[in-house]
Amino acid sequence: MKKIILLSLMVWLFSLNFVHAQLPSVNLKTMDGQSVNTDTLSNDGKPFIIDFFATWCKPCNRELDAIAEVYEDWQKETGVKIVAVSIDQAQNINKVKPLVENHGWEYEVLLDPNSDFKRALGIQMIPYVLIVDGKGNIVYKHNGYTDGAETELIEKVRELIK
């Protein structure tokens, strides 16, 4: 019984630690080849969303399309910013820019071809979404996508700006 309680306590403490963790320091590239360190990602003190995707991931593309439909309204209401992180491998990285342009996504897009950022965050599957508060703390995480899940995202962002 003590082992179960101890294990439960350790899982609970780990989840608390992760939910308020800072972003790890990983160097990524923009679609134009500029270097960006992930621990410098910010949104002028406002929350931002990091959405991990791949060109071949249909649920990822549906999620980013659904957000694109309401993104302008979200920005006006909350000031939230979306950072889309492609985990496409190096041989497929040339497919990212055409996909983004074809879908009309107006997000900041970063490339993680070796999955270094994904791995540093312990992410196993995509789509995967993080919400980072204005202080740089990871305050929400979610994996997978079902239609309408973007509503939960904006609700979490609204809670942060109250």
Side-chain angles (χ1 to χ4, degrees):
M1 184 65 166
K2 287 181 183 179
K3 287 181 182 179
I4 292 173
I5 292 171
L6 182 60
L7 183 60
S8 297
L9 182 60
M10 287 172 54
V11 168
W12 178 75
L13 287 172
F14 175 77
S15 69
L16 284 179
N17 186 26
F18 178 81
V19 172
H20 288 87
Q22 297 280 312
L23 292 173
S25 177
V26 177
N27 287 317
L28 302 180
K29 299 263 188 214
T30 65
M31 290 191 300
D32 298 328
Q34 302 294 317
S35 288
V36 175
N37 192 292
T38 56
D39 69 356
T40 65
L41 294 176
S42 68
N43 187 23
D44 297 324
K46 292 177 270 197
F48 61 99
I49 297 169
I50 300 175
D51 195 324
F52 287 83
F53 78 103
T55 55
W56 47 263
C57 173
K58 299 299 182 207
C60 301
N61 296 332
R62 283 198 342 262
E63 177 173 59
L64 289 168
D65 281 341
I67 293 171
E69 291 178 18
V70 292
Y71 188 42
E72 188 176 334
D73 293 335
W74 285 12
Q75 288 181 301
K76 286 178 186 171
E77 178 189 349
T78 67
V80 73
K81 171 174 87 170
I82 306 285
V83 178
V85 178
S86 166
I87 63 157
D88 283 274
Q89 294 179 351
Q91 66 266 30
N92 292 326
I93 215 75
N94 61 338
K95 296 177 181 178
V96 176
K97 191 170 187 173
L99 177 83
V100 169
E101 289 172 352
N102 287 342
H103 285 262
W105 297 338
E106 299 197 7
Y107 312 127
E108 180 178 343
V109 178
L110 300 176
L111 308 173
D112 187 16
N114 298 319
S115 292
D116 294 334
F117 189 36
K118 176 181 163 250
R119 196 170 24 264
L121 288 162
I123 296 170
Q124 300 296 316
M125 57 186 291
I126 57 170
Y128 197 94
V129 176
L130 301 171
I131 298 177
V132 182
D133 69 11
K135 297 174 186 155
N137 298 307
I138 300 168
V139 295
Y140 176 80
K141 58 182 180 161
H142 179 80
N143 69 307
Y145 176 71
T146 55
D147 292 336
E150 63 280 358
T151 305
E152 184 177 354
L153 284 180
I154 193 59
E155 289 302 323
K156 297 290 184 190
V157 170
R158 287 177 180 134
E159 290 171 14
L160 293 172
I161 61 169
K162 286 182 180 178

